[in-house]
Amino acid sequence: MRFVQSLHPHRILQALDKIDDSGNSYSLDRRQSLRRVFITLACVAVALLFIHYAKFSSNIPTVIGSELAQRWQSSNWYHLFGYVWWTGCHLIGFVLLPWLVIRLCFKQRMRDFGWRLNDTAQHWRGYLLLLSPILIFVVLVSFGEDFVNHYPFYKLAGRSWFDLLAWELLYLSQFVFLEFFFRGFILQALRPAMGANAVWVMCVPYLMIHFPKLWLEATGAILFGLFLGILALQSRSIWGGVLVHAGVAVSMDIAALLRKQEIPTQWWPF
């Protein structure tokens, strides 16, 4: 009931008002705000464009050459290497590009954009309220064939414990990068210019990166992004969102592997 009450638009607006009343919002003048919004959203556009087209492993032969590509494609680690590339592209787009903007354009420190724990522990109830219904939803949808066919993304995750653990490390690293980009960089960069309205701006590209996924997951990303954004501004940290994402991601993969009876039985694949 408490979680349902928190979804009421009036409660959401009250939370956003409280964030603005706490300081750091609207701290730039009109000219500074214009430039801050322009630079931030330009970085967001470039980062998302880069990731969207660069993340596919089909780009690797262009980078390493045809001879090395043939050896790579005949390797037993072909698929896992593809996800190393995928994770690396997210590191460049979601972390390194914003880092350049923060250091060179804003003249600020990276750690002030959500990397510290700050007040995360004080908002554990909010993160738990957000995570609990999602885990229940995961259990329910795990009985569908679409879910089983979709997760884990790395189809050889059940080959061995090494495959599963290596995949989860790459997968969870990507969530750290993603949380920093959306709930650290975008929110903290835009807050001095537009206050808590930065949450609404962040939610749009966050929804759009979920379009290739199942429609229920994409729909849920709207509220998921909204509440993670509010909690990130309240806690001044990305780590609560990282833990929520990690809990959801790992539970979805394990649920799918259990359904397919593909939980690893050996430590090494060969």
Side-chain angles (χ1 to χ4, degrees), residues 123-141:
H123 295 277
W124 68 270
R125 291 182 181 83
Y127 287 111
L128 183 62
L129 282 171
L130 188 60
L131 178 61
S132 299
I134 296 174
L135 290 179
I136 295 172
F137 177 75
V138 168
V139 173
L140 295 176
V141 300

Side-chain angles (χ1 to χ4, degrees), residues 4-242:
V4 174
Q5 290 176 347
S6 68
L7 298 178
H8 193 284
H10 184 64
R11 295 287 297 274
I12 295 172
L13 292 175
Q14 282 182 328
L16 294 173
D17 285 338
K18 190 174 181 180
I19 289 169
D20 280 340
D21 291 341
S22 65
N24 297 325
S25 297
Y26 303 106
S27 58
L28 301 177
D29 62 31
R30 189 195 64 81
R31 189 178 296 274
Q32 291 172 325
S33 296
L34 175 65
R35 282 153 180 73
R36 176 62 70 97
V37 172
F38 172 78
I39 293 171
T40 302
L41 295 186
C43 178
V44 170
V46 171
L48 292 178
L49 185 69
F50 168 78
I51 291 172
H52 181 75
Y53 289 104
K55 66 184 178 182
F56 300 106
S57 58
S58 57
N59 291 311
I60 297 179
T62 305
V63 176
I64 67 175
S66 58
E67 185 175 344
L68 283 176
Q70 279 187 334
R71 295 180 186 175
W72 169 68
Q73 290 171 345
S74 61
S75 167
N76 290 318
W77 302 107
Y78 168 74
H79 295 291
L80 188 60
F81 287 162
Y83 280 107
V84 172
W85 172 272
W86 177 78
T87 304
C89 289
H90 283 84
L91 173 62
I92 294 171
F94 282 162
V95 179
L96 295 185
L97 288 178
W99 173 74
L100 289 173
V101 170
I102 291 169
R103 296 297 296 163
L104 300 179
C105 299
F106 299 160
K107 309 296 183 184
Q108 292 181 264
R109 298 175 300 183
M110 186 75 162
R111 62 187 180 186
D112 294 331
F113 281 70
W115 287 106
R116 296 173 175 176
L117 283 174
N118 288 324
D119 300 329
T120 302
Q122 298 178 24
H123 295 277
W124 68 270
R125 291 182 181 83
Y127 287 111
L128 183 62
L129 282 171
L130 188 60
L131 178 61
S132 299
I134 296 174
L135 290 179
I136 295 172
F137 177 75
V138 168
V139 173
L140 295 176
V141 300
S142 67
F143 293 99
E145 289 303 315
D146 285 344
F147 180 89
V148 173
N149 294 331
H150 200 70
Y151 298 100
F153 295 152
Y154 176 47
K155 299 308 177 186
L156 297 178
R159 183 171 61 173
S160 69
W161 282 107
F162 176 83
D163 284 282
L164 179 58
L165 293 175
W167 159 243
E168 294 300 339
L169 177 62
L170 293 170
Y171 197 25
L172 297 183
S173 296
Q174 179 262 161
F175 283 122
V176 175
F177 308 153
L178 179 145
E179 278 300 312
F180 164 70
F181 186 73
F182 286 98
R183 257 70 70 176
F185 172 64
I186 295 179
L187 289 186
Q188 299 303 331
L190 293 179
R191 184 179 180 183
M194 56 177 55
N197 283 312
V199 174
W200 307 113
V201 176
M202 174 274 296
C203 283
V204 176
Y206 184 66
L207 164 65
M208 294 175 71
I209 67 169
H210 287 79
F211 284 160
K213 300 187 178 183
L214 302 177
W215 72 270
L216 281 173
E217 188 175 349
T219 304
I222 302 172
L223 286 177
F224 199 57
L226 172 63
F227 286 106
L228 280 179
I230 292 173
L231 286 168
L233 285 178
Q234 290 174 335
S235 65
R236 297 175 293 118
S237 176
I238 66 170
W239 293 108
V242 170

